[in-house]
């Protein structure tokens, strides 16, 4: 017994003194740690300082029910329960019972509120007992940040994010993802916390060991007004044509600044949201929008001129055992007219007759414009273009005539737009730019200037000829439905088959890619724009002039109406009939309906809100969604009362 007792005492002495430092360090490592406090991520702003993305602090409030002395606990537990009851609506007895039970069970972490804002956090710090702090009040506060997008779903994918999964894998999308590590993320802080079981930690002090440093703010090139126009113009067309997905990009001609970018894909439920950045990522066969590049190459190489006569037959012609067709027969037409009417046969004939013996000459011209490599934009995930050349797997005798009208090659919408923008910019090709500056408050950390890719893509002669043809496409060519006597535009329609590998299967279920690329005004252009819509319902239409052309026109005219280009427009008195009619109807409604519910279905959500919030009765309007109002909770002509709730559903 004596020996056994001595052995126990020796072991205790050994653990306490001989090995004490080791075990104390182990306990310290397991139960007390410096926990990382994430820094507030920098904000993302529009070109004029409108908030596009911001980090909102959220707080979790808990109580250590054990740490308070009995006298303090008994004095304040009742008033604390009363305060919690007033905050949440639950009974005071519910809270007092829960807190007393936690104290009896030695519970050092009882959650009182989760993900509350800063105002509520300050309110909690003033509650009885909790206002005494961590000791002796038992207050436990943990902070996290949540990324918010004030514009909602509009351009959310392009604004972007940085997300980590449970395994630590990171996904970085859009502007936020591209500039997160270098600018937006900031420097994390440290705070000493103690583990209290079940993966819960409580701060040991009311201050941080290392204060977090917030990230820098990024100012983008996005114009909120143009972005809103582009988003809703694309959304409306996608919904009407029941298309799979689509994108639209608006670029400033001189600077390359991206003023709007919208990418919308269809969900299983039939609604649209920003699934992927199709404009940057998706390289596909462009179809007829590539005919501009093909004809420019032939004009610049002086193998033809605009008046060269091309025999397009009666709408069908064989090339190396394969038939190429046009939607209409055009007979003998000039090279310029072949582009105006978008003749597949015309462009295939021009390129095949002049480059078949030396295809490298044509390929080299495309390479000189950089069409064979990515643009190198700041946003991650840019798609790789494919321009085949002799020796490649996909090269054949039919490669050249196919490329002439936009097949057998792949290119992204943004790359196509960059080329068209160079035509509008008198031959100077500028790199698309999403960022203007990085700032810390008002201090500029880095400024991003215009970047020129190619000072002159072609001669002035070729440029002038192409510019004239592109204007004529809208006036008398495939884009004539877009013509407006009040506002000039230039561009090219595009219609391409997609998923046509098995031709017999494709004939049963035809799928197309519709596109339109161009710029406006046609004289001294301010903006260039591309619209691409994949797999529209063929029952409603699939040609570029019908599907994507109207989106381009709507964007151009709304920008022109809402943001007059004073330097380019001789008169600001020009009125767009549809816009004027829309305004007159809205004005009449505001005069007529003062106390009764109007019919706001079909109005833009912002107009409906403005109308209802300025009536003679004070009603509460709740808006679900954005865009055009689809339904209203109160029927038309119903007498409204003060404080009545009216719910609008928009999409």
């Amino acid at each position: 017994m004596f020996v056994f007792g001595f052995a126990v005492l020796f072991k205790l002495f050994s653990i306490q003194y001989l090995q004490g430092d080791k075990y104390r360090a182990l306990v310290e490592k397991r139960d007390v740690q410096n926990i990382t406090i994430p820094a507030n991520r920098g904000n993302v702003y529009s070109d004029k300082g409108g908030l596009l993305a911001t980090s909102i602090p959220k707080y979790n409030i808990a109580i250590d029910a054990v740490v308070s002395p009995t006298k303090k606990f008994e004095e304040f537990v009742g008033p604390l329960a009363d305060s919690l009851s007033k905050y949440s609506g639950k009974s005071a007895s519910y809270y007092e019972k829960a807190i007393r039970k936690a104290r009896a069970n030695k519970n050092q972490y009882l959650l009182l509120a989760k993900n509350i804002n800063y105002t509520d956090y300050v309110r909690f710090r003033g509650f009885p007992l909790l206002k005494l702090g961590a000791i002796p009040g038992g207050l436990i506060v943990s902070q996290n940040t949540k990324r918010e997008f004030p514009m909602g779903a509009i351009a959310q994918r392009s604004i972007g994010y940085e997300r980590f999964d449970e395994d630590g894998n990171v996904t970085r999308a859009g502007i936020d993802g591209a500039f997160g590590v270098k600018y937006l993320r900031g420097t994390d802080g440290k705070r000493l916390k103690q583990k209290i079981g079940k993966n819960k930690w409580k701060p040991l002090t009311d201050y941080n060991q290392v204060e977090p440093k917030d990230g820098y703010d990024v100012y983008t090139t996005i114009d909120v007004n143009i972005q809103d126009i582009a988003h809703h113009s694309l959304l409306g067309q996608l919904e009407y044509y029941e298309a799979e997905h689509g994108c639209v990009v608006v670029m400033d001609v001189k600077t390359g600044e991206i003023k709007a970018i919208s990418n919308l894909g269809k969900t299983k439920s039939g609604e649209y949201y920003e699934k992927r950045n199709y404009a940057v990522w998706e390289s596909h066969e462009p179809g007829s929008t590539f005919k501009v590049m093909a004809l420019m190459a032939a004009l610049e190489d002086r193998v033809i001129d605009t008046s060269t006569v091309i025999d397009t037959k009666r709408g069908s012609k064989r090339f190396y055992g394969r038939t190429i067709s046009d939607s209409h027969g055009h007979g003998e037409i000039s090279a310029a007219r072949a582009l105006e009417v978008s003749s597949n046969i015309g462009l295939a004939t021009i390129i095949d007759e002049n480059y078949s013996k030396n295809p490298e000459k044509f390929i080299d011209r495309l390479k000189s414009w950089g069409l064979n490599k990515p643009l190198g934009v700041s946003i991650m995930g840019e798609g790789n273009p494919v321009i085949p050349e002799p020796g490649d797997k996909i090269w054949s005798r039919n490669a050249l005539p196919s490329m002439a009208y936009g097949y057998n090659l792949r290119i992204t919408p943004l790359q196509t737009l960059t080329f068209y923008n160079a035509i509008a910019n008198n031959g100077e090709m500028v790199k698309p730019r999403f960022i203007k500056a990085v700032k810390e408050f008002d201090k500029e950390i880095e400024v991003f200037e215009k970047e020129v890719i190619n000072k002159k893509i072609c001669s002035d002669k070729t440029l002038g000829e192409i510019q004239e043809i592109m204007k004529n496409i809208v006036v008398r060519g495939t884009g004539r439905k877009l013509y407006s006597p009040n506002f000039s535009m230039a561009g090219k329609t595009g219609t391409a088959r997609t998923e046509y590998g098995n031709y017999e299967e494709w004939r049963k279920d035809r799928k197309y890619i519709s596109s339109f690329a161009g710029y406006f005004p046609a004289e001294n252009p301010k903006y260039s724009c591309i619209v691409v819509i994949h797999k529209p319902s063929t029952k409603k239409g699939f040609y570029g002039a019908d599907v994507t052309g109207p989106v381009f026109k709507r964007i151009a005219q709304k920008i022109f109406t809402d943001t007059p280009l004073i330097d380019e427009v001789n008169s600001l008195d020009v009125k767009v009939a549809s816009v004027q009619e829309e305004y007159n109807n809205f004005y009449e409604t505001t005069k007529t309906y003062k106390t009764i519910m109007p019919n706001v279905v079909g109005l833009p959500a912002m107009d409906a809100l403005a109308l209802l919030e300025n009536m003679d009765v004070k009603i509460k309007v709740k808006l679900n969604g954005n865009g055009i109002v689809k339904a209203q909770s109160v029927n038309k002509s119903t007498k409204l009362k003060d404080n009545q709730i009216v719910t609008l559903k928009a999409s």
Side-chain angles (χ1 to χ4, degrees):
M1 292 281 292
F2 174 79
V3 172
F4 179 74
F6 179 80
V8 171
L9 290 173
F10 177 78
K11 189 64 176 177
L12 289 172
F13 177 83
S14 175
I15 292 172
Q16 182 71 25
Y17 297 103
L18 299 181
Q19 296 177 296
D21 291 341
K22 172 187 173 183
Y23 287 114
R24 275 189 290 272
L26 186 61
V27 170
E28 187 84 4
K29 182 179 179 181
R30 291 181 58 188
D31 295 343
V32 178
Q33 287 187 18
N34 260 319
I35 303 297
T36 298
I37 304 172
N40 284 329
R41 202 170 183 83
N43 294 331
V44 179
Y45 293 97
S46 70
D47 62 341
K48 295 181 176 65
L51 194 59
L52 300 179
T54 186
S55 292
I56 304 294
K58 298 290 182 180
Y59 302 88
N60 294 339
I61 306 294
I63 186 171
D64 180 344
V66 180
V67 73
S68 300
T70 302
K71 185 177 179 181
K72 292 285 185 186
F73 181 83
E74 292 299 335
E75 180 182 356
F76 292 115
V77 68
L80 172 60
D82 290 336
S83 297
L84 291 169
S85 175
K86 290 177 182 177
Y87 173 80
S88 70
K90 293 181 180 179
S91 67
S93 61
Y94 165 83
Y95 282 108
E96 184 169 349
K97 183 179 178 181
I99 296 170
R100 287 188 180 279
K101 183 179 179 181
R103 186 174 176 87
N105 294 336
K106 308 295 183 185
N107 186 352
Q108 292 184 280
Y109 190 93
L110 175 64
L111 186 65
L112 300 177
K114 188 175 182 180
N115 285 331
I116 62 175
N117 59 33
Y118 180 75
T119 303
D120 288 340
Y121 158 69
V122 172
R123 182 178 172 185
F124 265 84
R125 292 208 67 138
F127 284 177
L129 192 60
L130 298 182
K131 66 182 179 181
L132 301 178
I135 301 174
L139 174 65
I140 300 173
V141 179
S142 58
Q143 177 184 334
N144 59 77
T145 56
K146 185 179 179 183
R147 203 67 168 161
E148 297 283 354
F149 299 88
M151 289 183 66
I154 298 177
Q156 189 169 324
R157 180 85 188 189
S158 301
I159 295 167
Y161 53 81
E162 183 181 60
R163 292 177 185 164
F164 293 86
D165 63 17
E166 294 177 353
D167 299 322
N169 300 314
V170 61
T171 301
R172 297 187 176 98
I175 294 166
D176 198 303
F179 293 89
V181 175
K182 189 173 182 180
Y183 298 116
L184 290 163
R185 185 184 289 177
T187 305
D188 293 340
K190 298 287 184 182
R191 192 172 192 182
L192 202 61
K193 292 188 178 183
Q194 181 181 23
K195 189 175 183 180
I196 54 176
K198 296 182 180 179
N199 290 324
K200 293 177 181 176
W201 298 76
K202 74 169 187 177
L204 291 179
T205 59
D206 283 338
Y207 57 87
N208 297 325
Q209 305 298 106
V210 178
E211 291 295 332
K213 182 183 178 184
D214 294 346
Y216 296 131
D217 296 329
V218 168
Y219 285 75
T220 72
T221 60
I222 300 294
D223 183 302
V224 173
N225 180 48
I226 297 176
Q227 180 65 46
D228 185 66
I229 292 169
H231 174 88
H232 288 105
S233 297
L234 176 65
L235 177 61
Q237 204 74 343
L238 288 171
E239 289 177 335
Y240 176 77
Y241 280 96
E242 303 170 13
E244 182 187 87
H245 66 270
C247 66
V248 58
V249 186
V250 181
M251 183 190 296
D252 185 286
V253 168
K254 300 297 182 187
T255 66
E257 292 181 356
I258 301 299
K259 291 301 175 184
I261 177 170
S262 185
N263 301 273
L264 297 171
K266 191 177 186 180
T267 64
K268 290 181 180 179
S269 62
E271 297 189 354
Y272 291 89
Y273 80 107
E274 293 224 331
K275 295 172 71 173
R276 297 207 67 163
N277 197 330
Y278 301 110
V280 175
W281 161 74
E282 189 171 33
S283 60
H284 60 85
E285 291 179 314
S288 296
T289 53
F290 196 81
K291 291 174 183 174
V292 171
M293 290 79 151
L295 185 62
M296 274 188 68
L299 291 173
E300 187 65 6
D301 288 339
R302 300 288 186 265
V303 296
I304 62 160
D305 59 35
T306 55
S307 61
T308 300
V309 176
I310 311 298
D311 186 3
T312 64
K313 308 295 182 181
R314 295 183 179 180
S316 180
K317 184 178 178 179
R318 298 280 288 179
F319 286 80
Y320 308 110
R322 187 167 64 89
T323 302
I324 293 178
S325 303
D326 285 338
S327 57
H328 302 91
H330 301 289
E332 292 187 352
I333 54 176
S334 69
R337 185 61 182 165
L339 186 58
E340 288 176 12
V341 298
S342 197
S343 169
N344 296 335
I345 297 171
L347 270 297
T349 300
I350 291 170
I351 299 305
D352 184 63
E353 287 184 354
N354 294 286
Y355 292 99
S356 59
K357 294 180 180 179
N358 185 14
E360 288 85 357
K361 184 178 180 180
F362 180 70
I363 303 300
D364 289 344
R365 177 62 65 184
L366 301 182
K367 287 181 177 180
S368 73
W369 293 329
L371 298 178
N372 62 319
K373 55 188 178 182
L375 294 164
V377 294
S378 55
I379 289 181
M380 298 178 183
E382 183 182 2
N384 290 314
V386 177
I387 303 292
E389 49 189 306
D392 290 348
K393 264 189 176 182
I394 59 173
W395 187 265
S396 67
R397 297 185 71 187
N398 270 305
L400 271 180
S402 296
M403 291 172 69
Y405 60 103
Y407 287 87
N408 205 52
L409 58 93
R410 306 182 75 85
I411 194 170
T412 67
L414 190 59
Q415 199 170 15
T416 299
L417 178 62
T418 301
F419 189 88
Y420 276 68
N421 192 81
I423 296 172
N425 197 25
N426 291 320
E428 183 181 68
M429 184 181 286
V430 292
K431 187 176 181 178
R433 186 157 52 97
F434 294 87
I435 302 296
K436 294 185 79 169
V438 176
K439 295 183 180 181
E440 184 179 26
F441 300 108
D442 290 332
K443 178 185 175 184
E444 290 184 341
I445 304 300
E446 189 169 351
V447 177
F448 296 83
E449 303 291 350
K450 179 177 84 171
E451 188 175 337
V452 178
I453 300 174
N454 190 328
K455 289 184 178 180
K456 196 77 170 177
I457 61 171
C458 63
S459 66
D460 289 335
K461 182 177 184 299
T462 300
L463 196 64
E465 290 168 343
I466 285 293
Q467 288 172 341
E468 188 64 27
I469 295 171
M470 288 177 66
K471 281 195 290 185
N472 288 335
I473 288 171
V474 175
V475 174
R476 65 190 187 199
T478 54
R480 58 188 175 277
K481 291 181 181 179
L482 312 182
Y483 174 73
S484 169
N486 299 321
F487 185 67
S488 62
M489 296 171 283
K492 179 70 185 77
T493 58
T495 308
R497 297 174 183 174
T498 186
E499 298 181 15
Y500 56 86
N502 186 324
Y503 185 71
E504 291 304 318
E505 288 295 323
W506 180 86
R507 288 188 64 185
K508 296 175 185 177
D509 182 17
R510 301 189 179 201
K511 297 181 176 69
Y512 293 92
I513 301 172
S514 302
S515 56
F516 190 95
Y519 50 86
F520 55 91
E523 298 80 17
N524 196 11
K526 174 63 177 173
Y527 297 111
S528 61
C529 176
I530 187 169
V531 185
V532 182
I533 291 180
H534 285 247
K535 302 176 187 177
S537 170
T538 53
K539 295 177 181 178
K540 295 184 177 181
F542 56 88
Y543 287 113
D546 299 323
V547 180
T548 51
V551 180
F552 180 93
K553 183 177 181 179
R554 196 174 301 127
I555 291 169
Q557 290 193 331
K558 276 188 171 288
I559 292 175
F560 170 65
T561 305
D562 296 348
T563 315
L565 310 174
I566 297 173
D567 292 338
E568 282 76 16
V569 181
N570 295 325
S571 171
L572 299 181
D573 295 328
V574 176
K575 296 180 180 179
V576 178
S578 59
V579 175
Q580 188 66 32
E581 182 183 356
E582 188 176 302
Y583 171 77
N584 290 336
N585 292 338
F586 179 80
Y587 181 66
E588 288 300 319
T589 303
T590 60
K591 289 194 303 181
T592 305
Y593 295 92
K594 293 295 185 181
T595 59
I596 62 174
M597 182 66 190
N599 179 22
V600 296
V601 173
L603 284 179
M606 293 301 102
D607 289 350
L609 281 174
L611 173 62
L612 296 175
E613 289 177 351
N614 286 282
M615 300 181 74
D616 288 348
V617 286
K618 296 180 180 178
I619 60 176
K620 297 179 180 178
V621 184
K622 291 185 178 180
L623 175 63
N624 296 326
N626 53 58
I628 305 299
V629 177
K630 300 295 184 184
Q632 58 190 58
S633 63
V634 179
N635 292 330
K636 176 187 176 183
S637 301
T638 303
K639 183 75 173 177
L640 296 171
K641 301 175 183 179
D642 284 341
N643 298 318
Q644 185 174 352
I645 297 174
V646 177
T647 303
L648 305 180
K649 183 179 180 182
S651 64

